[in-house]
Each structure stands twice: as structure tokens, then as C-alpha cells.
Amino acid sequence: MSRSVPGKHSKGMTVLTALAAVFTVICILLFPNEAFQASLKGLHIWWTIVFPALLPFLVVSELLIAFGFVHALGVWMDPVMRLVFRVPGIGGWAVALSLSALMPSGAQVTAKLRRDGIISRGEAERLLGISHLAGPVIIFSVISVGFMGSRMPGLYIAVIYYMAALLTGILARFLFNDTRSPNAPGTTMSPPASSGILSASLTAMRAAREEDGRSFGKALGDAVAGGIQTLMSIGGLMMIFSVFAAIMNLSSVTSMLAATLSAVLSPVGLTVVHANALVLGWLELHLGAFAAGQDEARSLSFMWSIAAVCAILAWSGLSMHAQVRSLIRDTDIRYATFVLYRLMHSALCIFLTLLVWRPLNGWLADTAPSFNSVEPPPLAAAMEGIPYGIGLAQLQQSLFVMVACMLAIPLATTFIVIVRKIRKERYI
């Protein structure tokens, strides 16, 4: 049974959106050179860094979905999702898909589950909040290697970002409470027994593969075409929001917001450069992370560069918000709750960075030599037109982290199932 509702727009929002569009057009006509250069900058970042870093992994993630691996992973995530986040186990599919593909994938799955009546509105809103995650590929290949010129910052970003995401999900478990709706028979994953997890995951993988039905060649071709189409959309959004950022800069809006933000957080060391990156990240994820990862920002404060990147990833930019809102507009999932999740996650990223920086820096500093044994070419050279590619070592690093994250899920699930079985036998 579908529980979707049609999207509604107030007259005030319609007028405001129209005025903003007219204002943007006027600014582009008044400052054509600045708009062109801003658009070119967004295109250059996308073409030299984002495109080569994401395309291979988008293709691989589509193949993982086509051959049922993500569905099998959802079975393993069932006990973790129910225990930690109070979300039905099928929601693990949305989290696994978001980690292996791109952020809007979680919203797409959540909207489908809600339209089919499998989860309640509260469960859908919690699932949307916890499944909106940046995968290891974006953190290590795009931001750490591509934007910051080294693999080492990715470790700091991953630890803080995922720790804040976990805390956000746990807090939301208690803050957003509602009664769970009955699950539709034959659709959701029931909690598997310890002896049946492997069998259930293989069954889910086989069912997904049979439902897909494409040959390897067909799936590979569709994955390449879909990955390029997705990256074209990302590139267009980066160019558009780069122009928006330039317009805000010309109208001094960016500088005023950055000055205000730095004044508020100056007692804890936030500089104007990092505040400016946060303002850009409020508009578009990649542009803000790029600004926070530059040499100037890191030389002023490496800690705040990491904090800014994590907060920008957590917020994910208005361009990503627009994609999520378009995916959930035909459901009753509240966009305001999603915004609240993103604000909580961003705030926790900054708070955790300030809280754990010294012990984390001391721990990760010992691993720096092994991770930095082979350095990629500096980003400045790439931005001057020298061909830039994500090397084999960087791809191996990202694949290693992705595999490690995926292996952690079955281990946690096995532990939970064994503990439940021991407790059950004790009371028999």
C-alpha cells in the first residue's frame, strides 16, 4: 500500500525561487566574465579530479548492485540496524548502497520503501538521515588525494566523519520516536539466526540477481553509461553552484557570512579562510571541500581543515539537498527532519574534531610514513593543466578501506547474533 503524498509548494516559496532565478540571471548578465571563470573553475575541478576518481567506483558499485552483493550485505546489517538505529533490517540496503555508490542512493531506496508502505514515516526519516553518507571513495580518492594532495588526511576525515554519523544515528534513535509500522510480508528481512545468516544473504543475492537478469556485458555497459550520466549531473551542479558562489562573492554575501562565522568561532581557532570554505560547502560539497583542503587553509590550521571538510561532508551542500528533495517529494517524508539530521551531523563533526584531535593526531601521526611512502603529484600542478590521474596506489588504498568497512559489518552482526543466542539459551 502506498503512503505517498503529492508535493506542495507555497506561494511564498514560488515567488522567492522566481526572484532568486531572476537575480541570478541579472548577475550573470552584469558580470559575464566572472560567471564564466567561476563556471570554468567548477568544470576544471570536476574534470581533473572528481570524474577520474569516481567513475571506476561508480561502475563497480553498479555491478555490485546488479549481482546482488549489496542486497546480501543488507541481510548482514539487519541486527545492527535494528539494535543501534531502530530501523528495519531492510534499511541496511540503503546504507550499504550509499557507502558503495553516492549519497542520493540512500534517499532513493528510502523513498521506495516508504512508497511501498514497508516502513513508517518516522522509520523512513531516520533511515534517510543515517543512510545519507559519503563513501570511502569520496573521502580518500576525491577529497584526500585529489583535493588535499595526500592520502593521510583521509584517515582523519574518515574517523571523525563516521564517528559523528554513528553518534547522530544513536541520538536520532531517541529524539525521533514513533511506533513501528508492521512490515509487509515477504518484503523485509527478518532477523536471521546465527546459523542462517550466510544462507539468507546468499538467498537475497540470488533473488536480486534473478530479478535483475542482465548478462555481465549488459550490466557493465549500463553501469558505465549510468556512471557517466551521474557524473555529468554532478558536473553540471558543480558549475551552477560555482557560479552561485561567485555571485555571492561579488555581492559580498560570502565575505560577510565568513566574517560572522569566524567571529563566532574565533575562540576555538576558526579562521576566515576556513569559514569561507564552510560557506562554499553550504552551497556545494566539492567546492567547499576543495577550498578547505588547499595549502593555504592547511598551513593556517590543519585541524580546522579537517573539521571543515567533515562538516561540509555532513551537510553535503544545497546541491545535494536538491537531489534528495526531488527523490522524496512524492512521499510524506519531511525534508525539515532531513535538514535537522544534517545540522546535527555537521555540529558533531566540529565538536568531535575539537574533542579528540590531540589523541587522534598522536595516534595517526605514527602511521604517516607508511601511508605517505608514495606521494601523488601536487594539486597545484594539476590545476595548471598538467594531466592528473588517480594512481594505482591510491585506488588500492580506497579499495582497502572500502573492504575493511564492509568486513566490519558482518563481524558486528555475528557478534550481536551470538550474544542474543547465548542470552536466549541462558533463559531457556
Short mmCIF file of all heavy atoms in Angstrom, two decimals, residues 333-402:
data_model
loop_
_atom_site.label_atom_id
_atom_site.label_comp_id
_atom_site.label_asym_id
_atom_site.label_seq_id
_atom_site.Cartn_x
_atom_site.Cartn_y
_atom_site.Cartn_z
N ILE A 333 7.71 11.93 3.65
CA ILE A 333 8.94 12.14 4.42
C ILE A 333 9.22 13.64 4.50
O ILE A 333 9.24 14.33 3.49
CB ILE A 333 10.12 11.41 3.76
CG1 ILE A 333 9.85 9.92 3.67
CG2 ILE A 333 11.41 11.66 4.53
CD1 ILE A 333 10.92 9.15 2.91
N ARG A 334 9.44 14.13 5.70
CA ARG A 334 9.61 15.57 5.90
C ARG A 334 11.06 15.98 5.63
O ARG A 334 12.00 15.44 6.21
CB ARG A 334 9.22 15.94 7.33
CG ARG A 334 7.73 15.79 7.61
CD ARG A 334 7.42 15.96 9.08
NE ARG A 334 7.99 14.87 9.88
CZ ARG A 334 7.75 14.70 11.18
NH1 ARG A 334 6.94 15.53 11.81
NH2 ARG A 334 8.31 13.69 11.83
N TYR A 335 11.19 16.94 4.73
CA TYR A 335 12.53 17.46 4.39
C TYR A 335 13.15 18.18 5.59
O TYR A 335 14.38 18.15 5.77
CB TYR A 335 12.42 18.39 3.19
CG TYR A 335 13.69 19.15 2.88
CD1 TYR A 335 14.81 18.50 2.38
CD2 TYR A 335 13.76 20.52 3.11
CE1 TYR A 335 15.97 19.20 2.10
CE2 TYR A 335 14.92 21.23 2.83
CZ TYR A 335 16.02 20.56 2.33
OH TYR A 335 17.17 21.26 2.05
N ALA A 336 12.33 18.81 6.42
CA ALA A 336 12.85 19.54 7.59
C ALA A 336 13.59 18.60 8.54
O ALA A 336 14.61 18.98 9.13
CB ALA A 336 11.71 20.23 8.32
N THR A 337 13.11 17.36 8.69
CA THR A 337 13.79 16.39 9.54
C THR A 337 15.15 16.03 8.95
O THR A 337 16.13 15.87 9.68
CB THR A 337 12.94 15.12 9.69
OG1 THR A 337 11.64 15.47 10.16
CG2 THR A 337 13.57 14.16 10.68
N PHE A 338 15.22 15.91 7.64
CA PHE A 338 16.49 15.63 6.98
C PHE A 338 17.49 16.76 7.22
O PHE A 338 18.67 16.51 7.49
CB PHE A 338 16.25 15.44 5.48
CG PHE A 338 17.50 15.30 4.66
CD1 PHE A 338 18.22 14.12 4.66
CD2 PHE A 338 17.95 16.36 3.89
CE1 PHE A 338 19.39 13.99 3.92
CE2 PHE A 338 19.11 16.25 3.14
CZ PHE A 338 19.83 15.06 3.15
N VAL A 339 17.02 18.00 7.13
CA VAL A 339 17.89 19.15 7.40
C VAL A 339 18.40 19.10 8.83
O VAL A 339 19.58 19.39 9.10
CB VAL A 339 17.14 20.46 7.12
CG1 VAL A 339 17.96 21.66 7.55
CG2 VAL A 339 16.80 20.58 5.64
N LEU A 340 17.53 18.74 9.77
CA LEU A 340 17.94 18.65 11.17
C LEU A 340 19.03 17.59 11.36
O LEU A 340 19.99 17.79 12.11
CB LEU A 340 16.73 18.34 12.04
CG LEU A 340 16.96 18.32 13.55
CD1 LEU A 340 17.52 19.65 14.03
CD2 LEU A 340 15.66 18.00 14.28
N TYR A 341 18.88 16.46 10.68
CA TYR A 341 19.91 15.43 10.72
C TYR A 341 21.26 15.98 10.24
O TYR A 341 22.30 15.75 10.86
CB TYR A 341 19.52 14.26 9.82
CG TYR A 341 18.83 13.12 10.54
CD1 TYR A 341 17.46 13.07 10.63
CD2 TYR A 341 19.56 12.08 11.10
CE1 TYR A 341 16.81 12.03 11.27
CE2 TYR A 341 18.93 11.03 11.74
CZ TYR A 341 17.55 11.01 11.81
OH TYR A 341 16.93 9.97 12.44
N ARG A 342 21.22 16.69 9.13
CA ARG A 342 22.46 17.19 8.56
C ARG A 342 23.12 18.23 9.47
O ARG A 342 24.34 18.29 9.58
CB ARG A 342 22.19 17.80 7.17
CG ARG A 342 21.52 16.84 6.21
CD ARG A 342 22.50 15.92 5.50
NE ARG A 342 23.32 15.10 6.36
CZ ARG A 342 22.92 13.93 6.89
NH1 ARG A 342 21.71 13.47 6.66
NH2 ARG A 342 23.73 13.22 7.64
N LEU A 343 22.31 19.08 10.11
CA LEU A 343 22.85 20.07 11.04
C LEU A 343 23.47 19.38 12.25
O LEU A 343 24.55 19.78 12.72
CB LEU A 343 21.75 21.04 11.47
CG LEU A 343 21.24 22.00 10.39
CD1 LEU A 343 20.06 22.80 10.91
CD2 LEU A 343 22.35 22.94 9.92
N MET A 344 22.79 18.35 12.77
CA MET A 344 23.33 17.59 13.91
C MET A 344 24.65 16.93 13.54
O MET A 344 25.63 16.98 14.31
CB MET A 344 22.32 16.54 14.36
CG MET A 344 21.09 17.08 15.06
SD MET A 344 19.87 15.77 15.38
CE MET A 344 20.84 14.59 16.32
N HIS A 345 24.68 16.33 12.38
CA HIS A 345 25.91 15.65 11.94
C HIS A 345 27.05 16.64 11.77
O HIS A 345 28.19 16.38 12.19
CB HIS A 345 25.61 14.90 10.63
CG HIS A 345 26.68 13.92 10.25
ND1 HIS A 345 26.62 13.16 9.10
CD2 HIS A 345 27.87 13.59 10.85
CE1 HIS A 345 27.70 12.39 9.03
NE2 HIS A 345 28.47 12.64 10.06
N SER A 346 26.78 17.78 11.17
CA SER A 346 27.82 18.80 10.97
C SER A 346 28.34 19.32 12.30
O SER A 346 29.56 19.47 12.49
CB SER A 346 27.27 19.96 10.14
OG SER A 346 26.92 19.54 8.84
N ALA A 347 27.43 19.63 13.22
CA ALA A 347 27.84 20.14 14.53
C ALA A 347 28.68 19.10 15.27
O ALA A 347 29.69 19.44 15.91
CB ALA A 347 26.62 20.53 15.34
N LEU A 348 28.28 17.83 15.21
CA LEU A 348 29.04 16.79 15.89
C LEU A 348 30.42 16.60 15.25
O LEU A 348 31.38 16.27 15.95
CB LEU A 348 28.27 15.47 15.85
CG LEU A 348 27.12 15.34 16.85
CD1 LEU A 348 26.33 14.07 16.62
CD2 LEU A 348 27.66 15.37 18.28
N CYS A 349 30.53 16.79 13.95
CA CYS A 349 31.83 16.70 13.29
C CYS A 349 32.80 17.74 13.85
O CYS A 349 33.96 17.43 14.17
CB CYS A 349 31.67 16.89 11.78
SG CYS A 349 31.06 15.43 10.90
N ILE A 350 32.33 18.98 13.98
CA ILE A 350 33.18 20.04 14.52
C ILE A 350 33.50 19.78 15.99
O ILE A 350 34.65 19.91 16.43
CB ILE A 350 32.51 21.41 14.34
CG1 ILE A 350 32.37 21.74 12.85
CG2 ILE A 350 33.30 22.50 15.05
CD1 ILE A 350 31.65 23.04 12.56
N PHE A 351 32.50 19.38 16.75
CA PHE A 351 32.70 19.12 18.18
C PHE A 351 33.69 17.97 18.41
O PHE A 351 34.60 18.06 19.24
CB PHE A 351 31.35 18.82 18.84
CG PHE A 351 31.46 18.41 20.28
CD1 PHE A 351 31.71 19.35 21.26
CD2 PHE A 351 31.32 17.08 20.66
CE1 PHE A 351 31.82 18.98 22.59
CE2 PHE A 351 31.43 16.69 21.97
CZ PHE A 351 31.69 17.64 22.95
N LEU A 352 33.53 16.88 17.65
CA LEU A 352 34.42 15.73 17.82
C LEU A 352 35.84 16.05 17.39
O LEU A 352 36.80 15.56 17.99
CB LEU A 352 33.89 14.53 17.03
CG LEU A 352 32.70 13.79 17.63
CD1 LEU A 352 32.24 12.68 16.71
CD2 LEU A 352 33.06 13.23 19.00
N THR A 353 35.98 16.86 16.35
CA THR A 353 37.32 17.25 15.92
C THR A 353 38.05 18.00 17.03
O THR A 353 39.22 17.71 17.33
CB THR A 353 37.26 18.12 14.66
OG1 THR A 353 36.54 17.44 13.64
CG2 THR A 353 38.66 18.44 14.16
N LEU A 354 37.37 18.95 17.66
CA LEU A 354 37.97 19.70 18.75
C LEU A 354 38.23 18.80 19.96
O LEU A 354 39.21 18.99 20.69
CB LEU A 354 37.07 20.86 19.16
CG LEU A 354 36.78 21.91 18.07
CD1 LEU A 354 35.78 22.94 18.58
CD2 LEU A 354 38.06 22.58 17.61
N LEU A 355 37.36 17.81 20.17
CA LEU A 355 37.45 16.96 21.36
C LEU A 355 38.55 15.92 21.26
O LEU A 355 39.31 15.70 22.22
CB LEU A 355 36.10 16.28 21.61
CG LEU A 355 35.99 15.40 22.86
CD1 LEU A 355 36.12 16.25 24.12
CD2 LEU A 355 34.66 14.64 22.86
N VAL A 356 38.66 15.27 20.12
CA VAL A 356 39.57 14.12 20.01
C VAL A 356 40.81 14.42 19.18
O VAL A 356 41.55 13.50 18.85
CB VAL A 356 38.83 12.90 19.40
CG1 VAL A 356 37.58 12.58 20.20
CG2 VAL A 356 38.47 13.14 17.93
N TRP A 357 41.05 15.68 18.84
CA TRP A 357 42.14 15.97 17.91
C TRP A 357 43.50 15.55 18.44
O TRP A 357 44.29 14.91 17.74
CB TRP A 357 42.16 17.46 17.56
CG TRP A 357 43.24 17.79 16.59
CD1 TRP A 357 44.42 18.42 16.85
CD2 TRP A 357 43.26 17.47 15.20
NE1 TRP A 357 45.17 18.51 15.71
CE2 TRP A 357 44.47 17.94 14.68
CE3 TRP A 357 42.36 16.84 14.34
CZ2 TRP A 357 44.81 17.80 13.34
CZ3 TRP A 357 42.70 16.70 13.01
CH2 TRP A 357 43.92 17.17 12.52
N ARG A 358 43.80 15.89 19.67
CA ARG A 358 45.14 15.58 20.19
C ARG A 358 45.41 14.07 20.24
O ARG A 358 46.44 13.62 19.72
CB ARG A 358 45.32 16.21 21.57
CG ARG A 358 45.52 17.72 21.51
CD ARG A 358 45.96 18.27 22.85
NE ARG A 358 46.23 19.70 22.79
CZ ARG A 358 46.66 20.42 23.81
NH1 ARG A 358 46.87 19.84 24.99
NH2 ARG A 358 46.88 21.71 23.67
N PRO A 359 44.53 13.27 20.86
CA PRO A 359 44.82 11.82 20.84
C PRO A 359 44.77 11.22 19.44
O PRO A 359 45.56 10.33 19.12
CB PRO A 359 43.72 11.23 21.74
CG PRO A 359 42.65 12.27 21.80
CD PRO A 359 43.36 13.58 21.68
N LEU A 360 43.85 11.70 18.60
CA LEU A 360 43.77 11.17 17.24
C LEU A 360 45.00 11.54 16.43
O LEU A 360 45.55 10.70 15.70
CB LEU A 360 42.51 11.72 16.55
CG LEU A 360 42.24 11.22 15.13
CD1 LEU A 360 41.98 9.72 15.13
CD2 LEU A 360 41.05 11.96 14.52
N ASN A 361 45.46 12.76 16.58
CA ASN A 361 46.65 13.20 15.86
C ASN A 361 47.89 12.42 16.32
O ASN A 361 48.74 12.03 15.50
CB ASN A 361 46.87 14.70 16.06
CG ASN A 361 47.93 15.26 15.14
OD1 ASN A 361 48.02 14.90 13.97
ND2 ASN A 361 48.75 16.15 15.68
N GLY A 362 47.97 12.17 17.61
CA GLY A 362 49.09 11.39 18.12
C GLY A 362 49.07 9.96 17.64
O GLY A 362 50.11 9.36 17.37
N TRP A 363 47.87 9.41 17.50
CA TRP A 363 47.75 8.02 17.05
C TRP A 363 48.03 7.89 15.55
O TRP A 363 48.79 7.00 15.12
CB TRP A 363 46.34 7.51 17.36
CG TRP A 363 46.06 6.15 16.80
CD1 TRP A 363 46.79 5.01 16.98
CD2 TRP A 363 44.95 5.79 15.96
NE1 TRP A 363 46.21 3.96 16.30
CE2 TRP A 363 45.09 4.41 15.67
CE3 TRP A 363 43.86 6.50 15.45
CZ2 TRP A 363 44.16 3.74 14.88
CZ3 TRP A 363 42.95 5.83 14.66
CH2 TRP A 363 43.11 4.47 14.38
N LEU A 364 47.46 8.78 14.76
CA LEU A 364 47.62 8.67 13.31
C LEU A 364 48.98 9.18 12.84
O LEU A 364 49.42 8.82 11.74
CB LEU A 364 46.51 9.46 12.60
CG LEU A 364 45.10 8.90 12.75
CD1 LEU A 364 44.10 9.77 12.00
CD2 LEU A 364 45.02 7.47 12.23
N ALA A 365 49.64 10.02 13.64
CA ALA A 365 50.95 10.53 13.22
C ALA A 365 51.95 9.40 13.07
O ALA A 365 52.86 9.45 12.23
CB ALA A 365 51.46 11.55 14.23
N ASP A 366 51.80 8.33 13.88
CA ASP A 366 52.72 7.20 13.81
C ASP A 366 52.56 6.42 12.51
O ASP A 366 53.47 5.70 12.09
CB ASP A 366 52.51 6.25 14.99
CG ASP A 366 52.81 6.93 16.31
OD1 ASP A 366 53.65 7.86 16.30
OD2 ASP A 366 52.24 6.54 17.34
N THR A 367 51.37 6.53 11.88
CA THR A 367 51.14 5.78 10.64
C THR A 367 51.47 6.59 9.40
O THR A 367 51.38 6.08 8.30
CB THR A 367 49.66 5.35 10.56
OG1 THR A 367 48.84 6.52 10.44
CG2 THR A 367 49.26 4.56 11.77
N ALA A 368 51.88 7.85 9.59
CA ALA A 368 52.11 8.72 8.44
C ALA A 368 53.17 8.21 7.48
O ALA A 368 52.98 8.24 6.27
CB ALA A 368 52.46 10.13 8.92
N PRO A 369 54.33 7.70 7.94
CA PRO A 369 55.34 7.28 6.98
C PRO A 369 54.88 6.18 6.04
O PRO A 369 55.14 6.23 4.85
CB PRO A 369 56.49 6.79 7.89
CG PRO A 369 56.30 7.53 9.16
CD PRO A 369 54.82 7.66 9.32
N SER A 370 54.16 5.17 6.56
CA SER A 370 53.74 4.07 5.70
C SER A 370 52.69 4.51 4.69
O SER A 370 52.67 4.05 3.56
CB SER A 370 53.18 2.92 6.55
OG SER A 370 52.05 3.36 7.28
N PHE A 371 51.80 5.42 5.07
CA PHE A 371 50.76 5.87 4.16
C PHE A 371 51.28 6.90 3.17
O PHE A 371 50.70 7.08 2.12
CB PHE A 371 49.58 6.47 4.93
CG PHE A 371 48.65 5.44 5.47
CD1 PHE A 371 48.73 5.05 6.79
CD2 PHE A 371 47.71 4.83 4.65
CE1 PHE A 371 47.87 4.08 7.28
CE2 PHE A 371 46.86 3.86 5.14
CZ PHE A 371 46.94 3.49 6.46
N ASN A 372 52.34 7.58 3.50
CA ASN A 372 52.86 8.63 2.64
C ASN A 372 54.13 8.21 1.90
O ASN A 372 54.91 9.02 1.48
CB ASN A 372 53.15 9.90 3.45
CG ASN A 372 51.88 10.54 3.95
OD1 ASN A 372 50.84 10.42 3.34
ND2 ASN A 372 51.99 11.23 5.08
N SER A 373 54.36 6.89 1.78
CA SER A 373 55.57 6.43 1.12
C SER A 373 55.60 6.81 -0.35
O SER A 373 56.66 7.01 -0.91
CB SER A 373 55.67 4.91 1.27
OG SER A 373 54.52 4.29 0.73
N VAL A 374 54.43 6.89 -0.98
CA VAL A 374 54.35 7.31 -2.37
C VAL A 374 53.38 8.47 -2.45
O VAL A 374 52.19 8.31 -2.19
CB VAL A 374 53.87 6.17 -3.28
CG1 VAL A 374 53.78 6.65 -4.72
CG2 VAL A 374 54.81 4.98 -3.18
N GLU A 375 53.89 9.64 -2.77
CA GLU A 375 53.05 10.83 -2.80
C GLU A 375 52.54 11.09 -4.21
O GLU A 375 53.28 10.92 -5.19
CB GLU A 375 53.82 12.06 -2.32
CG GLU A 375 54.04 12.08 -0.82
CD GLU A 375 52.73 12.20 -0.05
OE1 GLU A 375 51.78 12.78 -0.60
OE2 GLU A 375 52.67 11.69 1.08
N PRO A 376 51.29 11.49 -4.36
CA PRO A 376 50.78 11.84 -5.68
C PRO A 376 51.30 13.20 -6.11
O PRO A 376 51.86 13.95 -5.29
CB PRO A 376 49.26 11.89 -5.44
CG PRO A 376 49.14 12.27 -4.01
CD PRO A 376 50.29 11.63 -3.31
N PRO A 377 51.16 13.56 -7.37
CA PRO A 377 51.61 14.88 -7.81
C PRO A 377 50.82 15.97 -7.11
O PRO A 377 49.65 15.79 -6.79
CB PRO A 377 51.30 14.86 -9.32
CG PRO A 377 50.28 13.80 -9.49
CD PRO A 377 50.58 12.78 -8.45
N PRO A 378 51.44 17.13 -6.84
CA PRO A 378 50.74 18.20 -6.13
C PRO A 378 49.54 18.70 -6.91
O PRO A 378 49.55 18.72 -8.13
CB PRO A 378 51.82 19.28 -5.97
CG PRO A 378 52.81 18.99 -7.05
CD PRO A 378 52.80 17.50 -7.22
N LEU A 379 48.55 19.12 -6.17
CA LEU A 379 47.31 19.59 -6.79
C LEU A 379 47.54 20.86 -7.61
O LEU A 379 46.91 21.07 -8.64
CB LEU A 379 46.25 19.85 -5.71
CG LEU A 379 44.89 20.28 -6.21
CD1 LEU A 379 44.29 19.18 -7.08
CD2 LEU A 379 43.97 20.59 -5.06
N ALA A 380 48.50 21.68 -7.16
CA ALA A 380 48.75 22.92 -7.90
C ALA A 380 49.17 22.62 -9.34
O ALA A 380 48.79 23.32 -10.28
CB ALA A 380 49.84 23.72 -7.19
N ALA A 381 49.97 21.57 -9.52
CA ALA A 381 50.39 21.21 -10.87
C ALA A 381 49.21 20.77 -11.71
O ALA A 381 49.10 21.09 -12.89
CB ALA A 381 51.44 20.10 -10.81
N ALA A 382 48.30 20.00 -11.08
CA ALA A 382 47.13 19.54 -11.82
C ALA A 382 46.25 20.71 -12.24
O ALA A 382 45.71 20.72 -13.35
CB ALA A 382 46.32 18.57 -10.95
N MET A 383 46.14 21.72 -11.38
CA MET A 383 45.28 22.85 -11.70
C MET A 383 45.89 23.75 -12.76
O MET A 383 45.22 24.58 -13.34
CB MET A 383 44.99 23.65 -10.43
CG MET A 383 44.24 22.87 -9.36
SD MET A 383 42.72 22.15 -9.98
CE MET A 383 41.77 23.63 -10.25
N GLU A 384 47.20 23.60 -13.03
CA GLU A 384 47.84 24.38 -14.07
C GLU A 384 47.77 23.70 -15.43
O GLU A 384 48.34 24.16 -16.40
CB GLU A 384 49.31 24.62 -13.70
CG GLU A 384 49.47 25.58 -12.52
CD GLU A 384 50.92 25.69 -12.10
OE1 GLU A 384 51.78 25.05 -12.74
OE2 GLU A 384 51.19 26.42 -11.12
N GLY A 385 47.10 22.56 -15.49
CA GLY A 385 46.89 21.92 -16.78
C GLY A 385 47.66 20.65 -16.97
O GLY A 385 47.51 19.97 -17.99
N ILE A 386 48.55 20.27 -16.03
CA ILE A 386 49.27 19.01 -16.15
C ILE A 386 48.29 17.87 -15.94
O ILE A 386 47.51 17.90 -14.97
CB ILE A 386 50.42 18.95 -15.12
CG1 ILE A 386 51.41 20.07 -15.40
CG2 ILE A 386 51.11 17.59 -15.15
CD1 ILE A 386 52.54 20.14 -14.41
N PRO A 387 48.26 16.86 -16.79
CA PRO A 387 47.30 15.76 -16.63
C PRO A 387 47.42 15.12 -15.27
O PRO A 387 48.51 14.84 -14.79
CB PRO A 387 47.71 14.77 -17.75
CG PRO A 387 48.42 15.61 -18.75
CD PRO A 387 49.11 16.69 -17.97
N TYR A 388 46.29 14.92 -14.66
CA TYR A 388 46.24 14.37 -13.31
C TYR A 388 45.41 13.11 -13.31
O TYR A 388 44.34 13.06 -13.88
CB TYR A 388 45.63 15.38 -12.33
CG TYR A 388 45.55 14.88 -10.92
CD1 TYR A 388 46.61 15.00 -10.06
CD2 TYR A 388 44.38 14.26 -10.46
CE1 TYR A 388 46.54 14.55 -8.77
CE2 TYR A 388 44.31 13.79 -9.16
CZ TYR A 388 45.38 13.94 -8.32
OH TYR A 388 45.32 13.47 -7.03
N GLY A 389 45.92 12.07 -12.69
CA GLY A 389 45.17 10.82 -12.62
C GLY A 389 45.28 10.23 -11.23
O GLY A 389 46.23 10.47 -10.50
N ILE A 390 44.29 9.46 -10.85
CA ILE A 390 44.32 8.74 -9.57
C ILE A 390 45.16 7.49 -9.78
O ILE A 390 44.79 6.60 -10.54
CB ILE A 390 42.91 8.37 -9.11
CG1 ILE A 390 42.07 9.64 -8.99
CG2 ILE A 390 42.94 7.66 -7.78
CD1 ILE A 390 42.59 10.66 -8.02
N GLY A 391 46.32 7.40 -9.14
CA GLY A 391 47.25 6.31 -9.37
C GLY A 391 46.76 5.00 -8.78
O GLY A 391 45.80 4.93 -8.02
N LEU A 392 47.51 3.93 -9.12
CA LEU A 392 47.14 2.59 -8.66
C LEU A 392 47.20 2.49 -7.16
O LEU A 392 46.36 1.86 -6.53
CB LEU A 392 48.07 1.56 -9.31
CG LEU A 392 47.85 0.09 -8.92
CD1 LEU A 392 46.45 -0.35 -9.32
CD2 LEU A 392 48.90 -0.79 -9.57
N ALA A 393 48.22 3.14 -6.54
CA ALA A 393 48.34 3.07 -5.09
C ALA A 393 47.15 3.71 -4.40
O ALA A 393 46.64 3.20 -3.39
CB ALA A 393 49.64 3.77 -4.65
N GLN A 394 46.66 4.83 -4.95
CA GLN A 394 45.50 5.50 -4.36
C GLN A 394 44.25 4.65 -4.51
O GLN A 394 43.43 4.57 -3.60
CB GLN A 394 45.29 6.87 -5.01
CG GLN A 394 46.36 7.90 -4.63
CD GLN A 394 47.54 7.84 -5.55
OE1 GLN A 394 47.84 6.80 -6.12
NE2 GLN A 394 48.23 8.96 -5.70
N LEU A 395 44.09 3.99 -5.66
CA LEU A 395 42.93 3.12 -5.86
C LEU A 395 43.00 1.93 -4.91
O LEU A 395 41.98 1.51 -4.35
CB LEU A 395 42.88 2.64 -7.31
CG LEU A 395 42.59 3.70 -8.36
CD1 LEU A 395 42.63 3.08 -9.75
CD2 LEU A 395 41.23 4.34 -8.12
N GLN A 396 44.17 1.37 -4.72
CA GLN A 396 44.32 0.26 -3.79
C GLN A 396 43.99 0.69 -2.37
O GLN A 396 43.36 -0.05 -1.61
CB GLN A 396 45.75 -0.27 -3.86
CG GLN A 396 46.08 -1.01 -5.15
CD GLN A 396 47.53 -1.41 -5.25
OE1 GLN A 396 48.38 -0.88 -4.51
NE2 GLN A 396 47.84 -2.34 -6.13
N GLN A 397 44.41 1.91 -2.01
CA GLN A 397 44.11 2.43 -0.68
C GLN A 397 42.60 2.55 -0.46
O GLN A 397 42.07 2.13 0.57
CB GLN A 397 44.78 3.80 -0.50
CG GLN A 397 44.50 4.49 0.83
CD GLN A 397 45.28 3.83 1.94
OE1 GLN A 397 46.20 3.08 1.69
NE2 GLN A 397 44.92 4.12 3.17
N SER A 398 41.89 3.12 -1.44
CA SER A 398 40.45 3.30 -1.31
C SER A 398 39.73 1.96 -1.27
O SER A 398 38.79 1.76 -0.50
CB SER A 398 39.93 4.15 -2.47
OG SER A 398 40.51 5.42 -2.44
N LEU A 399 40.17 1.02 -2.12
CA LEU A 399 39.56 -0.30 -2.12
C LEU A 399 39.78 -1.00 -0.78
O LEU A 399 38.89 -1.68 -0.27
CB LEU A 399 40.13 -1.15 -3.26
CG LEU A 399 39.61 -0.83 -4.66
CD1 LEU A 399 40.39 -1.63 -5.70
CD2 LEU A 399 38.12 -1.16 -4.76
N PHE A 400 40.97 -0.84 -0.21
CA PHE A 400 41.27 -1.47 1.07
C PHE A 400 40.34 -0.94 2.17
O PHE A 400 39.81 -1.70 2.97
CB PHE A 400 42.73 -1.20 1.45
CG PHE A 400 43.09 -1.66 2.84
CD1 PHE A 400 43.32 -3.00 3.11
CD2 PHE A 400 43.17 -0.74 3.88
CE1 PHE A 400 43.65 -3.41 4.39
CE2 PHE A 400 43.49 -1.15 5.16
CZ PHE A 400 43.73 -2.49 5.42
N VAL A 401 40.16 0.38 2.19
CA VAL A 401 39.29 0.97 3.21
C VAL A 401 37.85 0.53 3.01
O VAL A 401 37.13 0.21 3.97
CB VAL A 401 39.40 2.50 3.18
CG1 VAL A 401 38.41 3.14 4.14
CG2 VAL A 401 40.81 2.93 3.54
N MET A 402 37.39 0.46 1.74
CA MET A 402 36.02 0.04 1.48
C MET A 402 35.80 -1.40 1.93
O MET A 402 34.79 -1.73 2.57
CB MET A 402 35.70 0.17 -0.01
CG MET A 402 34.29 -0.29 -0.38
SD MET A 402 33.95 -0.15 -2.15
CE MET A 402 33.91 1.62 -2.33
#
